[in-house]
Amino acid sequence: IAVERQIDTGATTMLITQSTAEKLLSSGEADAGPDATYTMADGRTANARQVIIHEVRIGSHVLDNVIAGVGPDNAVTLLPKK
């Protein structure tokens, strides 16, 4: 599925919405991953589930088995700058 992402130069993990995660899981494009604790820029921590996306394409670049945190549907989705 094609989804727009915001690039966050301080992020270390991709964040996707619950709806996107469900679409990827139901289509077989991702597998459920372990839950994780994330530390936000302001120091807060939050628990979130993760998915492992089989393939992420950014232009002509392809990444395999990308771990992404799952946030609520109203969350800003992020792509870390690495």
Side-chain angles (χ1 to χ4, degrees):
I1 64 174
V3 182
E4 284 191 28
R5 296 276 169 260
Q6 182 176 17
I7 294 180
D8 183 344
T9 58
T12 57
T13 305
M14 180 186 292
L15 178 67
I16 62 174
T17 64
Q18 178 69 33
S19 293
T20 299
E22 293 303 327
K23 288 176 188 174
L24 291 168
L25 290 165
S26 66
S27 68
E29 296 177 72
D31 294 317
D35 290 347
T37 301
Y38 290 92
T39 303
M40 307 302 160
D42 64 3
R44 290 179 299 124
T45 59
N47 293 323
R49 72 185 254 218
Q50 296 183 121
V51 295
I52 302 166
I53 304 170
H54 299 163
E55 183 178 277
V56 174
R57 291 179 177 269
I58 305 165
S60 62
H61 302 280
V62 179
L63 303 169
D64 295 318
N65 299 317
V66 175
I67 297 172
V70 179
D73 282 338
N74 63 349
V76 174
T77 55
L78 301 175
L79 183 64
K81 181 181 180 187
K82 291 190 175 187

Coordinates of all heavy atoms in Angstrom, one line a residue:
I1 N 0.8 -1.2 0.0 CA 0.0 0.0 0.0 C 0.9 1.2 0.0 O 2.0 1.2 0.6 CB -1.0 0.0 1.2 CG1 -0.2 0.1 2.5 CG2 -1.9 -1.2 1.1 CD1 -1.1 0.2 3.7
A2 N 0.5 2.3 -0.6 CA 1.2 3.5 -0.7 C 0.7 4.5 0.4 O -0.5 4.7 0.6 CB 1.0 4.2 -2.1
V3 N 1.6 5.0 1.2 CA 1.3 5.9 2.3 C 2.3 7.0 2.3 O 3.5 6.8 2.2 CB 1.3 5.1 3.6 CG1 0.9 6.1 4.8 CG2 0.4 3.9 3.6
E4 N 1.9 8.3 2.5 CA 2.8 9.4 2.7 C 3.4 9.4 4.1 O 2.6 9.0 5.1 CB 2.1 10.7 2.4 CG 1.9 11.0 1.0 CD 1.5 12.4 0.7 OE1 1.8 13.3 1.5 OE2 0.8 12.6 -0.3
R5 N 4.6 9.8 4.3 CA 5.3 9.8 5.6 C 6.0 11.1 5.7 O 6.5 11.7 4.8 CB 6.4 8.7 5.7 CG 5.8 7.3 5.7 CD 5.3 6.9 7.1 NE 4.6 5.7 7.0 CZ 3.3 5.6 7.0 NH1 2.5 6.7 7.1 NH2 2.6 4.5 6.9
Q6 N 6.1 11.6 7.0 CA 6.9 12.7 7.3 C 8.3 12.3 7.7 O 8.4 11.3 8.5 CB 6.2 13.5 8.4 CG 6.9 14.8 8.8 CD 6.1 15.5 9.9 OE1 5.2 14.9 10.5 NE2 6.4 16.7 10.1
I7 N 9.3 12.9 7.2 CA 10.7 12.5 7.6 C 11.0 13.3 8.9 O 10.9 14.5 8.9 CB 11.7 12.7 6.5 CG1 11.4 11.8 5.4 CG2 13.1 12.5 7.0 CD1 12.3 11.9 4.2
D8 N 11.4 12.5 9.9 CA 11.8 13.1 11.2 C 13.3 12.9 11.4 O 13.7 11.7 11.6 CB 11.0 12.5 12.3 CG 11.3 13.2 13.7 OD1 12.3 13.8 13.8 OD2 10.4 13.0 14.6
T9 N 14.1 13.9 11.4 CA 15.6 13.7 11.5 C 16.0 13.2 12.9 O 17.1 12.7 13.1 CB 16.3 15.0 11.2 OG1 15.9 16.1 12.1 CG2 16.1 15.5 9.8
G10 N 15.1 13.3 13.9 CA 15.4 12.8 15.2 C 14.8 11.5 15.6 O 15.1 10.9 16.6
A11 N 14.0 10.9 14.7 CA 13.3 9.7 14.9 C 14.3 8.5 14.7 O 15.1 8.6 13.8 CB 12.1 9.5 14.1
T12 N 14.1 7.4 15.5 CA 14.9 6.2 15.3 C 14.1 5.1 14.7 O 14.7 4.1 14.3 CB 15.6 5.8 16.6 OG1 14.6 5.6 17.5 CG2 16.6 6.9 17.0
T13 N 12.8 5.2 14.7 CA 11.9 4.2 14.3 C 10.8 4.7 13.4 O 10.3 5.8 13.7 CB 11.3 3.4 15.5 OG1 12.4 3.0 16.3 CG2 10.5 2.3 15.1
M14 N 10.3 4.0 12.5 CA 9.2 4.4 11.7 C 7.9 4.2 12.5 O 7.8 3.3 13.3 CB 9.1 3.5 10.4 CG 7.9 3.8 9.5 SD 7.6 2.7 8.2 CE 9.1 3.0 7.2
L15 N 7.0 5.2 12.4 CA 5.7 5.1 13.0 C 4.6 5.1 12.0 O 4.6 5.9 11.1 CB 5.5 6.3 14.0 CG 4.2 6.4 14.7 CD1 4.1 5.2 15.7 CD2 4.0 7.7 15.4
I16 N 3.7 4.1 12.1 CA 2.5 4.0 11.2 C 1.3 4.0 12.1 O 1.3 3.8 13.3 CB 2.6 2.7 10.3 CG1 2.6 1.5 11.1 CG2 3.8 2.8 9.4 CD1 2.5 0.2 10.3
T17 N 0.1 4.3 11.4 CA -1.1 4.3 12.1 C -1.7 2.9 12.3 O -1.3 1.9 11.6 CB -2.2 5.1 11.4 OG1 -2.4 4.5 10.1 CG2 -1.7 6.6 11.2
Q18 N -2.6 2.7 13.2 CA -3.3 1.5 13.4 C -4.0 1.0 12.2 O -3.8 -0.2 11.8 CB -4.3 1.7 14.6 CG -5.2 0.4 14.9 CD -4.3 -0.7 15.5 OE1 -3.4 -0.4 16.3 NE2 -4.6 -1.9 15.3
S19 N -4.6 1.8 11.4 CA -5.3 1.4 10.2 C -4.3 0.9 9.2 O -4.6 -0.1 8.5 CB -6.1 2.6 9.6 OG -7.1 3.0 10.4
T20 N -3.2 1.6 9.0 CA -2.2 1.1 8.1 C -1.6 -0.2 8.5 O -1.4 -1.1 7.7 CB -1.0 2.2 8.0 OG1 -1.6 3.4 7.5 CG2 0.1 1.7 7.0
A21 N -1.4 -0.4 9.8 CA -0.8 -1.7 10.3 C -1.8 -2.8 10.0 O -1.4 -3.9 9.6 CB -0.6 -1.6 11.8
E22 N -3.1 -2.6 10.2 CA -4.1 -3.6 10.0 C -4.2 -4.0 8.5 O -4.3 -5.1 8.2 CB -5.5 -3.1 10.5 CG -5.6 -3.0 12.0 CD -5.2 -4.3 12.7 OE1 -5.5 -5.4 12.2 OE2 -4.7 -4.2 13.8
K23 N -4.1 -3.0 7.6 CA -4.0 -3.3 6.2 C -2.8 -4.1 5.8 O -2.9 -5.1 5.0 CB -4.0 -2.0 5.4 CG -5.3 -1.2 5.4 CD -5.2 0.1 4.6 CE -6.5 1.0 4.8 NZ -6.3 2.3 4.3
L24 N -1.6 -3.7 6.3 CA -0.4 -4.5 6.0 C -0.5 -5.9 6.6 O -0.1 -6.8 5.9 CB 0.8 -3.7 6.6 CG 1.2 -2.4 6.0 CD1 2.2 -1.7 6.8 CD2 1.7 -2.6 4.5
L25 N -1.0 -6.1 7.8 CA -1.1 -7.4 8.4 C -2.1 -8.3 7.6 O -1.8 -9.4 7.3 CB -1.5 -7.3 9.8 CG -0.4 -6.7 10.8 CD1 -1.1 -6.3 12.1 CD2 0.7 -7.7 11.0
S26 N -3.3 -7.7 7.3 CA -4.3 -8.5 6.6 C -3.9 -8.9 5.2 O -4.3 -9.9 4.7 CB -5.7 -7.8 6.6 OG -5.6 -6.6 5.9
S27 N -3.1 -8.0 4.5 CA -2.6 -8.3 3.2 C -1.4 -9.2 3.1 O -1.0 -9.6 2.1 CB -2.4 -7.0 2.4 OG -1.2 -6.4 2.9
G28 N -0.8 -9.5 4.3 CA 0.4 -10.3 4.3 C 1.6 -9.6 4.1 O 2.7 -10.2 3.9
E29 N 1.6 -8.2 4.0 CA 2.7 -7.4 3.8 C 3.5 -7.1 5.0 O 4.6 -6.5 5.0 CB 2.3 -6.1 3.1 CG 1.7 -6.3 1.7 CD 1.2 -5.0 1.1 OE1 2.1 -4.2 0.7 OE2 0.0 -4.8 1.1
A30 N 3.0 -7.5 6.2 CA 3.7 -7.3 7.4 C 3.4 -8.5 8.4 O 2.3 -9.1 8.2 CB 3.4 -6.0 8.0
D31 N 4.2 -8.6 9.4 CA 3.9 -9.6 10.5 C 3.9 -8.8 11.8 O 4.5 -7.8 11.9 CB 5.1 -10.6 10.6 CG 5.1 -11.5 9.3 OD1 4.0 -12.0 8.9 OD2 6.2 -11.8 8.8
A32 N 3.2 -9.4 12.8 CA 3.1 -8.8 14.1 C 4.5 -8.9 14.7 O 5.2 -9.9 14.6 CB 2.1 -9.4 15.0
G33 N 4.9 -7.8 15.4 CA 6.2 -7.8 16.1 C 5.9 -7.7 17.6 O 4.8 -7.6 18.0
P34 N 7.0 -7.7 18.4 CA 6.8 -7.5 19.8 C 6.4 -6.1 20.2 O 6.7 -5.2 19.5 CB 8.2 -7.9 20.4 CG 9.1 -7.4 19.2 CD 8.4 -7.7 18.0
D35 N 5.8 -6.0 21.4 CA 5.5 -4.7 21.9 C 6.8 -4.0 22.3 O 7.8 -4.7 22.6 CB 4.6 -4.7 23.1 CG 3.2 -5.2 22.7 OD1 2.9 -5.1 21.5 OD2 2.4 -5.5 23.6
A36 N 6.9 -2.7 22.3 CA 8.1 -2.0 22.7 C 7.8 -0.7 23.5 O 6.7 -0.2 23.4 CB 8.9 -1.6 21.4
T37 N 8.7 -0.2 24.2 CA 8.6 1.0 24.9 C 9.4 2.1 24.1 O 10.6 1.9 23.8 CB 9.1 0.9 26.3 OG1 8.4 -0.1 27.0 CG2 9.0 2.3 27.1
Y38 N 8.8 3.2 23.8 CA 9.4 4.3 23.0 C 9.6 5.5 23.9 O 8.8 5.8 24.8 CB 8.6 4.7 21.8 CG 8.5 3.6 20.8 CD1 7.5 2.7 20.7 CD2 9.5 3.6 19.8 CE1 7.5 1.7 19.8 CE2 9.4 2.6 18.8 CZ 8.4 1.7 18.8 OH 8.4 0.7 17.8
T39 N 10.8 6.2 23.7 CA 11.0 7.4 24.5 C 10.8 8.5 23.5 O 11.4 8.6 22.4 CB 12.5 7.4 25.0 OG1 12.7 6.3 25.8 CG2 12.7 8.7 25.8
M40 N 9.9 9.5 23.9 CA 9.6 10.6 23.0 C 10.7 11.7 23.2 O 11.5 11.7 24.1 CB 8.2 11.2 23.4 CG 7.1 10.2 23.4 SD 7.0 9.4 21.8 CE 6.1 7.9 22.3
A41 N 10.6 12.7 22.3 CA 11.6 13.8 22.3 C 11.6 14.5 23.7 O 12.6 15.0 24.1 CB 11.4 14.7 21.2
D42 N 10.4 14.6 24.3 CA 10.3 15.3 25.6 C 10.6 14.5 26.8 O 10.5 14.9 27.9 CB 9.0 16.0 25.7 CG 7.8 15.0 25.8 OD1 8.1 13.7 25.8 OD2 6.7 15.4 25.9
G43 N 11.1 13.2 26.6 CA 11.4 12.3 27.6 C 10.4 11.4 28.1 O 10.6 10.4 28.9
R44 N 9.1 11.6 27.7 CA 8.0 10.7 28.1 C 8.3 9.3 27.4 O 8.9 9.3 26.4 CB 6.7 11.2 27.6 CG 6.1 12.4 28.3 CD 4.8 12.9 27.7 NE 5.0 13.2 26.2 CZ 4.3 12.7 25.2 NH1 3.3 11.8 25.5 NH2 4.5 13.0 24.0
T45 N 7.7 8.3 28.0 CA 7.8 7.0 27.4 C 6.4 6.5 27.1 O 5.4 6.9 27.8 CB 8.5 5.9 28.3 OG1 7.7 5.9 29.6 CG2 9.9 6.3 28.6
A46 N 6.2 5.7 26.1 CA 4.9 5.1 25.7 C 5.2 3.7 25.2 O 6.1 3.4 24.5 CB 4.3 6.0 24.6
N47 N 4.2 2.8 25.5 CA 4.3 1.5 25.0 C 3.5 1.4 23.7 O 2.4 2.1 23.6 CB 3.7 0.5 26.0 CG 4.5 0.4 27.3 OD1 5.7 0.4 27.2 ND2 3.9 0.3 28.4
A48 N 4.0 0.7 22.8 CA 3.3 0.5 21.5 C 3.6 -0.8 20.9 O 4.6 -1.4 21.2 CB 3.7 1.6 20.5
R49 N 2.6 -1.3 20.1 CA 2.9 -2.6 19.4 C 3.7 -2.3 18.2 O 3.9 -1.1 17.8 CB 1.6 -3.3 19.0 CG 0.8 -2.7 17.9 CD -0.5 -3.4 17.7 NE -0.5 -4.2 16.6 CZ -1.5 -4.4 15.7 NH1 -2.6 -3.8 16.0 NH2 -1.4 -5.1 14.7
Q50 N 4.4 -3.3 17.7 CA 5.2 -3.1 16.5 C 4.8 -4.1 15.4 O 4.2 -5.1 15.7 CB 6.7 -3.4 16.8 CG 7.3 -2.4 17.8 CD 8.7 -2.6 18.0 OE1 9.5 -1.8 17.8 NE2 9.1 -3.8 18.5
V51 N 5.1 -3.7 14.2 CA 4.9 -4.7 13.1 C 6.2 -4.7 12.3 O 7.0 -3.8 12.4 CB 3.7 -4.3 12.1 CG1 2.4 -4.3 12.8 CG2 4.0 -2.9 11.5
I52 N 6.4 -5.8 11.6 CA 7.6 -5.9 10.8 C 7.1 -5.9 9.3 O 6.5 -6.8 8.9 CB 8.4 -7.2 11.1 CG1 8.8 -7.2 12.6 CG2 9.6 -7.4 10.2 CD1 9.2 -8.6 13.1
I53 N 7.4 -4.8 8.6 CA 7.0 -4.6 7.3 C 8.0 -5.3 6.3 O 9.2 -5.0 6.4 CB 6.8 -3.1 6.9 CG1 5.9 -2.4 7.9 CG2 6.4 -2.9 5.5 CD1 5.9 -0.9 7.8
H54 N 7.5 -6.2 5.5 CA 8.4 -7.0 4.6 C 9.2 -6.1 3.7 O 10.4 -6.4 3.5 CB 7.6 -8.0 3.8 CG 6.9 -9.0 4.7 ND1 5.8 -9.7 4.3 CD2 7.0 -9.3 6.0 CE1 5.4 -10.5 5.3 NE2 6.1 -10.2 6.4
E55 N 8.6 -5.1 3.1 CA 9.3 -4.2 2.2 C 8.8 -2.8 2.2 O 7.6 -2.6 2.1 CB 9.2 -4.8 0.7 CG 9.9 -4.0 -0.3 CD 9.8 -4.7 -1.7 OE1 10.5 -5.6 -2.0 OE2 8.9 -4.2 -2.4
V56 N 9.8 -1.9 2.4 CA 9.5 -0.4 2.3 C 10.2 0.2 1.2 O 11.5 0.0 1.1 CB 9.8 0.3 3.6 CG1 9.6 1.8 3.5 CG2 9.0 -0.3 4.8
R57 N 9.5 0.9 0.3 CA 10.2 1.6 -0.8 C 10.1 3.1 -0.6 O 9.1 3.6 -0.3 CB 9.5 1.2 -2.2 CG 9.6 -0.2 -2.6 CD 8.9 -0.5 -3.9 NE 9.1 -1.8 -4.3 CZ 10.1 -2.2 -5.1 NH1 10.9 -1.3 -5.6 NH2 10.3 -3.5 -5.4
I58 N 11.3 3.7 -0.8 CA 11.4 5.1 -0.8 C 12.1 5.5 -2.0 O 13.3 5.4 -2.2 CB 12.2 5.6 0.5 CG1 11.6 5.0 1.8 CG2 12.3 7.1 0.5 CD1 12.5 5.1 2.9
G59 N 11.3 6.0 -3.0 CA 11.9 6.3 -4.3 C 12.4 5.0 -4.9 O 11.7 4.0 -5.0
S60 N 13.7 5.0 -5.3 CA 14.3 3.8 -5.9 C 15.0 2.9 -4.8 O 15.5 1.8 -5.1 CB 15.3 4.1 -6.9 OG 16.4 4.9 -6.3
H61 N 14.9 3.3 -3.5 CA 15.5 2.5 -2.4 C 14.5 1.5 -1.9 O 13.3 1.9 -1.7 CB 16.0 3.5 -1.3 CG 17.0 4.5 -1.8 ND1 18.3 4.2 -2.0 CD2 16.8 5.8 -2.2 CE1 18.9 5.3 -2.5 NE2 18.0 6.2 -2.6
V62 N 15.0 0.3 -1.5 CA 14.1 -0.7 -1.0 C 14.8 -1.2 0.3 O 15.9 -1.5 0.4 CB 14.0 -1.9 -1.9 CG1 13.1 -3.0 -1.3 CG2 13.4 -1.4 -3.2
L63 N 13.9 -1.2 1.4 CA 14.4 -1.7 2.7 C 13.5 -3.0 3.0 O 12.3 -2.9 2.8 CB 14.2 -0.7 3.8 CG 14.9 0.7 3.6 CD1 14.4 1.7 4.6 CD2 16.4 0.5 3.7
D64 N 14.2 -4.0 3.5 CA 13.5 -5.2 3.9 C 13.3 -5.4 5.4 O 14.2 -5.0 6.1 CB 14.2 -6.4 3.3 CG 14.3 -6.5 1.8 OD1 13.2 -6.2 1.2 OD2 15.3 -6.8 1.3
N65 N 12.2 -6.0 5.8 CA 12.0 -6.3 7.2 C 12.2 -5.1 8.2 O 13.0 -5.1 9.1 CB 12.8 -7.5 7.7 CG 12.5 -8.7 6.8 OD1 11.3 -9.0 6.6 ND2 13.5 -9.4 6.4
V66 N 11.4 -4.0 7.9 CA 11.5 -2.8 8.7 C 10.5 -2.9 9.9 O 9.3 -3.1 9.7 CB 11.1 -1.6 7.8 CG1 11.1 -0.3 8.6 CG2 12.1 -1.5 6.6
I67 N 11.1 -2.6 11.0 CA 10.3 -2.6 12.2 C 9.6 -1.2 12.4 O 10.3 -0.2 12.3 CB 11.1 -2.9 13.5 CG1 11.7 -4.3 13.4 CG2 10.3 -2.7 14.8 CD1 12.7 -4.7 14.5
A68 N 8.3 -1.2 12.6 CA 7.6 0.1 12.7 C 6.7 0.0 13.9 O 6.0 -1.0 14.2 CB 6.7 0.3 11.5
G69 N 6.7 1.1 14.7 CA 5.8 1.3 15.8 C 4.4 1.6 15.3 O 4.3 2.2 14.2
V70 N 3.4 1.2 16.0 CA 2.0 1.5 15.6 C 1.4 2.5 16.6 O 1.3 2.2 17.8 CB 1.2 0.1 15.6 CG1 -0.3 0.4 15.2 CG2 1.8 -0.9 14.7
G71 N 0.9 3.6 16.0 CA 0.3 4.6 16.8 C -1.2 4.7 16.4 O -1.7 4.0 15.5
P72 N -1.9 5.6 17.1 CA -3.4 5.8 16.8 C -3.6 6.4 15.4 O -2.6 6.9 14.8 CB -3.8 6.8 17.9 CG -2.6 7.4 18.4 CD -1.5 6.5 18.2
D73 N -4.8 6.3 14.9 CA -5.0 6.7 13.6 C -4.9 8.2 13.4 O -4.7 8.7 12.3 CB -6.5 6.3 13.1 CG -6.5 4.9 12.7 OD1 -5.5 4.3 12.4 OD2 -7.6 4.3 12.8
N74 N -4.9 9.0 14.5 CA -4.7 10.4 14.3 C -3.2 10.9 14.6 O -2.9 12.0 14.6 CB -5.6 11.2 15.3 CG -5.3 10.9 16.7 OD1 -4.5 10.0 17.1 ND2 -5.9 11.6 17.6
A75 N -2.3 9.9 14.7 CA -0.9 10.2 14.9 C -0.2 10.7 13.6 O -0.6 10.3 12.5 CB -0.2 9.0 15.4
V76 N 0.8 11.5 13.8 CA 1.6 11.9 12.6 C 2.5 10.7 12.4 O 3.3 10.3 13.3 CB 2.4 13.2 13.0 CG1 3.4 13.5 11.8 CG2 1.5 14.4 13.2
T77 N 2.5 10.2 11.2 CA 3.3 9.1 10.8 C 4.7 9.5 10.4 O 4.9 10.5 9.7 CB 2.7 8.2 9.7 OG1 2.5 9.1 8.6 CG2 1.4 7.6 10.2
L78 N 5.7 8.8 10.9 CA 7.1 9.3 10.8 C 8.0 8.2 10.1 O 7.8 7.0 10.2 CB 7.7 9.5 12.2 CG 7.0 10.5 13.0 CD1 7.7 10.6 14.4 CD2 7.1 11.9 12.4
L79 N 9.0 8.8 9.4 CA 10.0 8.0 8.8 C 11.3 8.5 9.2 O 11.6 9.7 9.0 CB 9.9 8.1 7.2 CG 10.9 7.2 6.4 CD1 10.6 5.8 6.7 CD2 10.7 7.6 5.0
P80 N 12.1 7.7 10.0 CA 13.4 8.3 10.5 C 14.4 8.6 9.4 O 14.4 8.0 8.4 CB 13.9 7.2 11.4 CG 13.3 5.9 10.9 CD 12.0 6.3 10.3
K81 N 15.2 9.6 9.6 CA 16.3 9.9 8.6 C 17.5 9.2 9.1 O 18.0 9.5 10.3 CB 16.5 11.4 8.6 CG 17.6 11.8 7.6 CD 17.8 13.3 7.6 CE 18.9 13.6 6.6 NZ 19.3 15.0 6.6
K82 N 18.0 8.3 8.3 CA 19.2 7.6 8.7 C 20.3 7.8 7.8 O 20.2 8.0 6.6 CB 18.9 6.1 8.8 CG 18.0 5.8 10.0 CD 17.9 4.3 10.2 CE 17.1 4.1 11.4 NZ 17.0 2.7 11.8

